[in-house]
Amino acid sequence: MRANFVASEVSSGIRRNLTMTMAVIITVAVSLGLFGASMLVRAQVSTMKDFWYDKVEVSIFLCGKGSDTPSCAGGPVTGAQRDQIKADLDSLKPLVDSVYYESQAEAFARFQEQFKNSPIVDNVKPTALPESFRVKLSDPTKYDVVASAFAGRPGIEQVNDQRKILDKFFQLLGGLQLIALLIALSMLVVTVLLIANTMRVAAFSRRRETSIMRLVGASNFYIQLPFLLEAAVAAGIGAILAVVGLVFVKIIVIDQVLAQSFQFTAFVGWDAVLAIAPLMILVGVGLAAIAAFFTLRKYLRV
Amino acid sequence: MILLDRVTKLYANQERPALDEVSLEIEKGEFVFLVGPSGSGKSTFLRLVLREERPTKGQVWVAGKELNRLSNWKIPALRRQIGTVFQDFRLLPNKTVAENVAFALEVIGKPAAHIRKVVPEVLEVVGLEGKEERRPDELSGGEQQRVAIARAFVNRPILLIADEPTGNLDPGTSVGIMKLLDRINQLGTTVVMSTHDQAIVDQMRRRVIELEGGHVVRDQSRGVYGYAR
């Protein structure tokens, strides 16, 4: 194998086919960029799930003065009822990780803190907020166990799972990710077709060389290698551009814009980028190799 | 060297076979003219020997190998033993004479030192010393064909196939090319040459195989082009 000979064949091939090679590079970059972005959204969703599921609680609101659900027909919760609920919750360990009782006064203080800039605070009296048990579960997905045990019980107005609210949000993000992934997939199909076509043009423009190579007994590998490398180089450059774009998104969009504006939640870290980047390069070069392989089999037979 | 055993070649979409039950043998070291009108099967014969086509029926033996049983990855090894020359030279216009010859060695992975040694040697054999750095468009037709012969011969093939090598050349130049092919034959390479050039065949007095309509109609050991043409 003569490395410098192959290298000069590849570079002359790329120069001869420059516009097509550019098109391949850009298409690979865009489609892999989209692919990487959708992977990033997926990583973001999972980061947020970890972050938020760790914090979500099941809230068991107890009956207050104005409660009108059937389970509150007996008026505000009694001390005995409250103690019984607490005891029953404790008996659900280890599913119940911890139980925290929030009195009306504490609920009011938290409410004031959360809405301190809103005029709504002035209109709410401490007695309007229900007292509650904040229950933290060791496995947040087993919410139903708690709900079925406590919902509808006398003295309990409502059992709330914060996860349900989050899930809607995550569904939205998941949908966005799916759309990005679908666009990325269709772009990847376009990329494969473009690479196949580029190979076809390259094979045609070099038909004189390849016909001589065949006649003098060059092996298939030797004939096809310059084309394969051409495709791999173009796809590699495109993939690197896409990775640069991903890093750019992480630094500028996530770290400097989103993380600054939304400090209450966690964002994907560099570990996710590090995991996605090799995948992008692998997908890019792999696609190019597959496209080139099948095209060459068709156009460069012995 | 070459043995055809009842070979029939029928191309798709054609009713009449290009070769019809042809059997012939060419010995090592022979110089053979292949003559016959266009469409008589000369090119098909050469393509079968190069394993560019497979016979529809029958067996083709080249250099001790039955080509039907030759697996695809062994074809390059077969072709390295066969040099080929064409009417249209098939040189690479953007490479010099020396580069054109070297190309044939580079693409089969010969080391650079070997290439530097044998390319000037073979250019001397074909009489192109001093023209190594010229490009094909700076050469005459005869010189271009010499480059093509140098390329075909540089790997010292045991068989040289020439498909109308003088078809594009004037008579004087053709004589020079024939002398060169004769010299290569003297060096031990079997030469099979298809031609329409009556003067050359009559002058050389070598074995002549005449094809017509896919059949061998004449096989003479010291033949001429043909009678009453």
Side-chain angles (χ1 to χ4, degrees):
Chain A
M1 183 56 46
R2 310 254 333 272
N4 50 0
F5 171 73
V6 173
S8 80
E9 288 292 302
V10 170
S11 75
S12 80
I14 286 177
R15 260 180 285 126
R16 188 180 340 209
N17 223 346
L18 195 62
T19 51
M20 289 295 266
T21 309
M22 297 267 282
V24 169
I25 290 174
I26 293 169
T27 324
V28 168
V30 171
S31 56
L32 282 184
L34 271 169
F35 176 70
S38 88
M39 291 286 118
L40 205 62
V41 171
R42 185 194 179 88
Q44 174 65 22
V45 168
S46 113
T47 305
M48 286 172 89
K49 274 184 177 165
D50 287 350
F51 182 82
W52 285 104
Y53 281 178
D54 218 36
K55 295 190 167 40
V56 294
E57 300 159 331
V58 175
S59 306
I60 301 178
F61 293 105
L62 305 179
C63 297
K65 263 189 211 136
S67 306
D68 50 3
T69 52
S71 56
C72 290
V77 66
T78 64
Q81 280 174 336
R82 191 186 299 129
D83 292 344
Q84 186 57 44
I85 293 166
K86 172 84 170 87
D88 288 350
L89 278 171
D90 286 339
S91 73
L92 278 176
K93 279 178 181 171
L95 173 62
V96 170
D97 199 34
S98 64
V99 180
Y100 172 71
Y101 170 73
E102 192 181 63
S103 69
Q104 282 190 316
E106 281 168 330
F108 184 64
R110 201 160 63 91
F111 181 80
Q112 279 182 314
E113 175 59 28
Q114 273 177 350
F115 293 92
K116 61 185 168 198
N117 296 324
S118 163
I120 199 172
V121 176
D122 304 331
N123 300 326
V124 175
K125 294 185 179 64
T127 49
L129 293 167
E131 54 189 302
S132 64
F133 283 107
R134 304 278 159 157
V135 181
K136 195 144 178 42
L137 301 180
S138 56
D139 179 1
T141 58
K142 296 240 172 79
Y143 155 76
D144 284 343
V145 177
V146 180
S148 62
F150 294 96
R153 217 166 121 157
I156 293 178
E157 184 181 7
Q158 210 181 358
V159 181
N160 252 353
D161 183 12
Q162 293 177 339
R163 227 174 75 99
K164 287 215 165 124
I165 305 161
L166 282 178
D167 277 348
K168 286 219 172 75
F169 178 62
F170 289 141
Q171 266 170 18
L172 180 73
L173 280 181
L176 286 178
Q177 188 231 342
L178 190 69
I179 291 170
L181 193 64
L182 286 177
I183 297 175
L185 285 181
S186 57
M187 282 297 292
L188 287 174
V189 171
V190 171
T191 308
V192 168
L193 296 178
L194 186 70
I195 291 173
N197 227 345
T198 307
M199 290 290 100
R200 200 166 64 90
V201 173
F204 184 75
S205 74
R206 285 166 50 87
R207 65 195 182 285
R208 216 194 280 257
E209 276 88 346
T210 45
S211 78
I212 291 169
M213 285 168 102
R214 286 171 22 156
L215 275 177
V216 300
S219 63
N220 250 349
F221 177 71
Y222 226 106
I223 294 175
Q224 299 185 353
L225 190 67
F227 295 94
L228 287 175
L229 288 179
E230 237 174 277
V233 166
I237 293 173
I240 287 168
L241 286 180
V243 168
V244 168
L246 190 74
V247 169
F248 199 72
V249 165
K250 164 69 179 152
I251 293 176
I252 304 294
V253 180
I254 294 181
D255 287 357
Q256 290 193 1
V257 178
L258 290 175
Q260 304 292 322
S261 318
F262 304 97
Q263 293 188 345
F264 56 83
T265 186
F267 283 95
V268 283
W270 283 104
D271 55 332
V273 177
L274 275 180
I276 295 169
L279 191 68
M280 286 164 69
I281 292 179
L282 209 70
V283 167
V285 175
L287 281 180
I290 292 169
F293 178 74
F294 283 105
T295 316
L296 292 179
R297 260 171 47 123
K298 195 167 166 197
Y299 291 101
L300 294 180
R301 266 181 303 217
V302 178
Chain B
M1 180 57 58
I2 299 175
L3 176 71
L4 267 66
D5 187 13
R6 279 165 294 155
V7 168
T8 298
K9 176 65 189 177
L10 183 63
Y11 289 105
N13 311 322
Q14 280 192 355
E15 280 184 21
R16 200 177 58 82
L19 288 178
D20 194 1
E21 296 268 321
V22 170
S23 296
L24 60 85
E25 186 171 3
I26 294 172
E27 301 281 348
K28 189 172 188 309
E30 274 195 278
F31 193 117
V32 178
F33 286 114
L34 209 55
V35 302
S38 301
S40 60
K42 302 192 298 292
S43 295
T44 298
F45 172 75
L46 298 180
R47 292 174 63 81
L48 285 173
V49 170
L50 281 169
R51 179 55 168 73
E52 293 207 41
E53 299 284 350
R54 284 166 178 271
T56 315
K57 266 197 310 205
Q59 292 184 332
V60 179
W61 293 75
V62 176
K65 303 233 165 39
E66 207 275 286
L67 300 193
N68 272 327
R69 285 201 296 253
L70 197 67
S71 54
N72 273 336
W73 65 273
K74 282 186 177 161
I75 297 172
L78 169 78
R79 291 188 185 149
R80 284 174 202 195
Q81 298 179 286
I82 306 175
T84 29
V85 177
F86 296 94
Q87 183 175 4
D88 55 358
F89 320 136
R90 302 205 186 167
L91 301 176
L92 298 174
N94 53 344
K95 288 191 192 292
T96 65
V97 167
E99 283 168 352
N100 262 291
V101 177
F103 184 76
L105 296 170
E106 281 164 344
V107 298
I108 58 174
K110 293 278 184 194
H114 173 76
I115 295 175
R116 271 196 302 276
K117 181 171 159 291
V118 299
V119 169
E121 283 174 10
V122 77
L123 285 177
E124 199 186 324
V125 170
V126 300
L128 283 175
E129 58 271 65
K131 301 202 165 152
E132 293 85 354
E133 300 309 315
R134 302 280 187 87
R135 286 182 193 275
D137 56 6
E138 299 166 348
L139 300 175
S140 70
E143 287 169 331
Q144 289 187 48
Q145 193 59 294
R146 283 169 191 272
V147 178
I149 292 171
R151 184 179 64 195
F153 187 60
V154 70
N155 207 23
R156 305 285 157 154
I158 55 174
L159 172 64
L160 185 81
I161 288 184
D163 193 0
E164 300 190 32
T166 58
N168 275 350
L169 305 174
D170 60 74
T173 312
S174 298
V175 169
I177 293 295
M178 288 318 297
K179 280 188 176 148
L180 178 56
L181 289 177
D182 191 37
R183 171 141 186 238
I184 283 172
N185 180 234
Q186 309 274 318
L187 289 169
T189 297
T190 310
V191 178
V192 178
M193 168 174 164
S194 78
T195 187
H196 289 292
D197 197 327
Q198 185 172 353
I200 283 173
V201 178
D202 291 350
Q203 199 177 0
M204 299 268 295
R205 285 286 171 152
R206 296 300 185 97
R207 182 174 171 191
V208 173
I209 298 172
E210 183 172 354
L211 290 170
E212 199 173 318
H215 297 276
V216 176
V217 295
R218 178 163 63 103
D219 188 348
Q220 277 182 307
S221 58
R222 286 172 64 80
V224 294
Y225 189 83
Y227 317 102
R229 273 174 199 276

